[in-house]
């Protein structure tokens, strides 16, 4: 994901929870909350159970399947389409789930066509799972939303392999980080094109959101024996399976068994020309980076005469047996300053530098037309000016044409990306059944052309955003103000989007929140009694904070900031919009009563204290800090302690009722106060509570509907209560879990539509659910 490390929390609950670092080159951070959930097996010989439901895109129903054994090679028996139902132990309630549209938004690291079945295409992302292309609807279908909280690390897809012999078979090498705190990777294997999966736990980690994630593919199937797979790893050398990915063993003869000099290990694995016993493996090492076996992997040698000083990103074998390679002087994706493109001819062992250009940038994306072995395409990497380029050759790299100026580009499918070529163009694929159909991935989605070969005869190629259905954004906050915009998001990388009406959720917004247009918006709030008044904070713009008086349609940056060297953090707005309390990252809270023109330090709270506004009383604010509930009755100027010995957690205030507070206290459960935090009671109905939000009351009741991310009667998921938490109804299902939503902690009901709930994810955008 093209996102920085961020502090994630739901708008009205203000405890900070840190989610793993996302931007390449930025250190990843995680808290114990995430660690407890990541328990991977240390043996590759054990296969976990498959998820047992799959939602039909057309009907909204769920494919029910039996089989929950954890034994090796467990079979999943498909039964029928039924309405989604959950175990009675946790209540049952079918919901339809959709993405609030952004289209793209994150780093698409790989695109892989199946060479046997027309239209079968897969995309992988660095932290948002895998997708399959629907050629009929021209839309991407998510395949990994079934991965839940404890398996959040598997939503990063390090490599994809689609079987060239049996197109129904799909394999995903899953694992987001190789850090000590991250769990081991897993090989997810499917025999129905990703509708269901079986799982093999791997005895090592994978790094789908680390340096070098745009290289590949690292996972490959032997076309002469499709039961044999090879997997190149970041830290543990080369591995082989001979039983369709069920069991794995290290290839002991392969010479590189660690991360190599770059730390990124193996960058690609590919088989040679059909009928040969040749295998090539690229390695992130600037001195010896290409190895070859001519005996099906029994022995290996460094290829003689290979380039040095740079590292290969991709290696593609053409139909005539030539090996094309793209090189950069870094593993990528954001610091390449040199690169080259080479062609290796095995017969005679000749190497030729066929680079289409030279400059302070690298090369990465690489594709060869399966129908025309001499047609090659390659992309630059980190050519920041004037922009990255796509080159195309029809004579094996002897001559090249640049496509950027020879193309027309239509960004209407995702206007925020603009009409430039994009950045981080490491994924590139040519349709094996249609030479003109080409796609490439960027840090913000996918571009697609149906006539990329038009330039071969001097014509103009046409490109459109090709990421419809693929939603890879990290949501840091979301608000749903009553009577105004349906929902407004705060996001990493993109800042956030406003959805003005309920119908607009299904449409791509015209643009990001702007004036200022923050790269990352970490928090947003609105005034409960004047919901058209809003504030948001973040970083990456001229101002790190802004306010709106027209429901988020337009914004004005704060004229000053509490601490000039700080940014981001959390912000609270009083119920009448008269006072702002902003805790910048790593700072004490400050208060403004003039829309950010000036600031004064808050008294009674310490560094990093997160503040919440009472949703009814304009002069009242609260803060849960160090196990103590603090309150202010003078507009946030001073705070005094009230209840003590409370658990850490996310504090929220109920709209319309002064002093009505809730704490989602993790494994301490859900706590409630009706007296402004003087006293709290713990609900017996909830085992654990990660986040709580509020929505329109059920008709006939007078209290807000509660929406919980947590555990009820041993079931972990998303729940709704219409009786103040006495009983709960689970509203998500096993097919819709979206990884670490509890750690992200973004959840809110809709104040105008009973039953609707919004959930923020770390890599699958803003989800919204309605009763089906």
């Amino acid at each position: 994901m093209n996102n920085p490390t961020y502090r994630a929390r739901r708008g009205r609950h203000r405890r900070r929870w840190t989610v793993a670092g996302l931007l390449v080159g930025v250190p990843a951070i995680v808290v114990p909350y995430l660690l407890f959930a990541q328990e991977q097996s240390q043996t590759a010989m054990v296969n976990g159970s498959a998820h047992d439901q799959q939602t039909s895109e057309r009907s909204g129903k769920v494919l029910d399947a039996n089989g929950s054994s954890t034994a090796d090679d467990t079979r999943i028996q498909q039964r029928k389409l039924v309405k989604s139902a959950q175990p009675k132990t946790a209540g049952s309630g079918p919901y339809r789930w959709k993405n609030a549209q952004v289209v793209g938004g994150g780093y698409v690291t790989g695109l892989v066509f199946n060479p046997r079945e027309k239209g079968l295409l897969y995309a992988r992302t660095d932290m948002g799972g895998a997708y399959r292309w629907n050629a009929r609807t021209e839309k991407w279908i998510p395949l990994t939303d079934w991965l839940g909280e404890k398996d959040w690390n598997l939503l990063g897809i390090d490599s994809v392999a689609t079987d060239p012999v049996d197109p129904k078979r799909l394999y995903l090498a899953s694992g987001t980080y190789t850090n000590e705190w991250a769990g081991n990777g897993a090989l997810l294997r499917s025999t129905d094109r990703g509708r269901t999966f079986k799982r093999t736990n791997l005895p090592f980690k994978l790094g789908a959101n680390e340096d070098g994630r745009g290289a590949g593919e690292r996972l490959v199937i032997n076309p002469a024996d499709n039961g044999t797979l090879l997997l190149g790893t970041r830290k543990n050398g080369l591995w082989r399976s001979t039983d369709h990915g069920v069991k794995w063993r290290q290839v002991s003869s392969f010479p590189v068994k660690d991360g190599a000099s770059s730390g990124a290990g193996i960058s690609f694995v590919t088989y040679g020309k059909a009928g040969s016993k040749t295998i090539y493996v690229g390695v992130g090492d600037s001195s010896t980076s290409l190895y070859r076996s001519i005996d099906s992997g029994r022995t290996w040698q460094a290829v003689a005469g290979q380039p040095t000083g740079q590292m290969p990103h991709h290696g593609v074998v053409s139909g005539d047996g030539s090996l094309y390679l793209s090189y950069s002087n870094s593993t990528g994706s954001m610091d390449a300053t040199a690169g080259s493109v080479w062609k290796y001819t095995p017969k005679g062992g000749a190497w030729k530098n066929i680079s289409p250009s030279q400059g302070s940038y690298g090369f990465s994306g690489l594709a060869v037309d399966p129908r025309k072995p001499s047609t090659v395409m390659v992309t630059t990497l980190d050519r920041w000016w004037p922009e990255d380029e796509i080159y195309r050759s029809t004579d094996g790299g002897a001559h090249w044409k640049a496509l950027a100026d020879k193309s027309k580009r239509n960004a209407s499918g995702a206007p925020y990306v603009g009409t430039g070529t994009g950045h981080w163009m490491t994924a590139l694929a040519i349709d094996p059944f249609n030479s003109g159909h080409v796609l490439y991935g960027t840090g913000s989605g996918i571009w697609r052309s149906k006539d990329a070969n038009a330039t071969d005869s001097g014509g103009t190629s046409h490109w459109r955003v090709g990421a419809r259905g693929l939603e890879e954004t990290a949501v840091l906050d979301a608000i749903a103000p009553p009577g105004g915009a349906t929902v407004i998001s705060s996001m990493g990388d993109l800042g956030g989007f406003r959805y003005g009406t309920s119908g607009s959720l299904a449409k791509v917004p015209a643009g990001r929140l702007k004036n200022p247009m923050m790269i990352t918006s970490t928090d947003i709030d609105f005034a409960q009694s004047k919901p058209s008044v809003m504030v948001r904070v973040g970083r990456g713009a001229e101002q790190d904070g802004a306010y709106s008086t027209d429901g988020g349609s337009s914004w004005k940056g704060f004229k000053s900031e509490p601490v000039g060297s700080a940014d981001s953090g959390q912000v609270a707005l009083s119920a009448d919009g008269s006072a702002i309390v902003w805790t910048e990252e790593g700072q004490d809270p400050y208060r403004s009563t003039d829309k950010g023109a000036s600031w004064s330090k808050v008294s009674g709270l310490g560094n990093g204290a997160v503040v919440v506004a009472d949703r009814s009383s304009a002069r009242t604010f609260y803060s849960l800090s160090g196990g103590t509930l603090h309150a202010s009755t003078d507009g946030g100027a001073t705070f005094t302690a009230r209840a003590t010995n409370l658990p850490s957690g996310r504090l929220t205030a109920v709209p319309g009722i002064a002093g009505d507070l809730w704490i989602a206290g993790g494994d301490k459960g859900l706590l409630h106060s009706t007296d402004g935090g003087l006293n709290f009671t713990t609900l017996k109905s909830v085992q654990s509570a990660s986040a709580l939000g509020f929505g329109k009351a059920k008709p006939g009741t007078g209290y807000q509907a509660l929406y919980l991310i947590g555990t009820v009667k041993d079931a972990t998921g998303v729940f709704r209560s219409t009786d103040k938490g006495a009983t709960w109804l689970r509203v998500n299902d096993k097919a819709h879990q979206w990884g670490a939503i509890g750690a992200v902690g973004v959840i809110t009901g809709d104040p105008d539509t009973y039953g609707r709930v919004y959930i923020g994810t770390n890599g699958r955008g803003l989800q919204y659910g309605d009763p089906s």
Side-chain angles (χ1 to χ4, degrees), residues 14 34 56 75 106 144 216 226 262 315 333 352 416 449 475 479 518 568 589 634 664 675 712 716 753 761:
R14 302 290 175 169
L34 283 176
S56 165
R75 293 190 178 276
T144 45
N226 69 328
S262 67
S333 296
K352 184 178 181 181
Y416 71 91
S449 174
V475 180
I479 58 170
M518 301 172 189
S568 306
D634 58 4
D675 56 10
V712 177
T716 299
T753 304
T761 72

Side-chain angles (χ1 to χ4, degrees), residues 7 16 522 539 566-570 582-587:
R7 301 282 185 182
R16 291 180 297 173
T522 54
R539 59 178 173 268
D567 56 31
S568 306
Q570 291 76 42
W582 183 9
T583 305
E584 289 184 290
E585 189 73 25
Q587 305 297 320

Side-chain angles (χ1 to χ4, degrees), residues 89 97 175 205 425 566 599 749:
T89 56
W97 293 96
K205 302 174 190 294
M425 298 154 56
W599 299 86

Side-chain angles (χ1 to χ4, degrees), residues 34-47:
L34 283 176
L35 294 180
F36 91 91
Q38 186 56 40
E39 298 176 1
Q40 297 291 337
S41 169
Q42 296 302 304
T43 172
M45 304 305 177
V46 178
N47 171 50

Side-chain angles (χ1 to χ4, degrees), residues 113-121 163-164 167-168 193 431-433:
F113 275 102
N114 184 281
R116 187 180 182 92
E117 181 174 311
K118 186 177 181 179
L120 186 55
L121 166 66
D163 197 317
K168 297 188 298 296
R193 300 177 180 83
D431 191 332
F433 295 88

Side-chain angles (χ1 to χ4, degrees), residues 1-216:
M1 182 72 180
N2 180 7
N3 298 15
T5 300
Y6 65 82
R7 301 282 185 182
R9 45 102 217 86
R10 158 70 187 115
R12 308 293 66 77
H13 47 257
R14 302 290 175 169
R15 173 175 159 77
R16 291 180 297 173
W17 298 71
T18 306
V19 177
L22 306 177
L23 177 61
V24 59
V26 176
I29 305 171
V30 75
V31 291
Y33 179 85
L34 283 176
L35 294 180
F36 91 91
Q38 186 56 40
E39 298 176 1
Q40 297 291 337
S41 169
Q42 296 302 304
T43 172
M45 304 305 177
V46 178
N47 171 50
S49 61
H51 74 286
D52 62 3
Q53 291 182 326
Q54 175 68 27
T55 301
S56 165
E57 182 184 14
R58 300 185 69 178
S59 69
K61 294 182 179 179
V62 172
L63 178 65
D64 181 50
N66 61 29
S68 57
S69 168
T70 57
D72 280 1
D73 211 22
T74 299
R75 293 190 178 276
I76 300 296
Q77 298 177 359
Q78 294 185 0
R79 282 159 51 182
K80 59 183 179 179
L81 283 174
V82 297
K83 288 187 176 180
S84 173
Q86 295 305 312
K88 290 183 179 180
T89 56
S92 60
Y95 260 54
R96 262 192 204 100
W97 293 96
K98 298 179 181 179
N99 269 107
Q101 294 293 290
V102 170
V103 177
Y107 188 11
V108 177
T109 49
L111 292 161
V112 181
F113 275 102
N114 184 281
R116 187 180 182 92
E117 181 174 311
K118 186 177 181 179
L120 186 55
L121 166 66
Y122 297 95
R124 61 178 167 95
T125 66
D126 54 357
M127 52 169 281
Y131 294 79
R132 183 181 69 247
W133 178 248
N134 185 324
R136 179 181 60 83
T137 63
E138 297 191 339
K139 183 178 179 181
W140 294 95
I141 300 169
L143 303 180
T144 45
D145 284 355
W146 55 274
L147 288 165
E149 196 86 32
K150 68 184 179 66
D151 290 322
W152 67 269
N153 188 52
L154 300 184
L155 276 174
I157 310 300
D158 211 21
S159 193
V160 172
T162 174
D163 197 317
V165 178
D166 180 1
K168 297 188 298 296
R169 291 186 180 272
L170 168 69
Y171 303 91
L172 306 178
S174 300
T176 311
Y177 299 107
T178 61
N179 303 66
E180 182 179 350
W181 42 259
N184 284 352
L187 195 287
L188 305 180
R189 45 200 172 87
S190 174
T191 56
D192 54 13
R193 300 177 180 83
R195 291 179 177 86
T196 61
F197 286 89
K198 301 170 187 176
R199 170 176 172 174
T200 294
N201 292 325
L202 299 171
F204 46 77
K205 302 174 190 294
L206 298 176
N209 196 28
E210 295 184 345
D211 290 352
R213 60 197 189 273

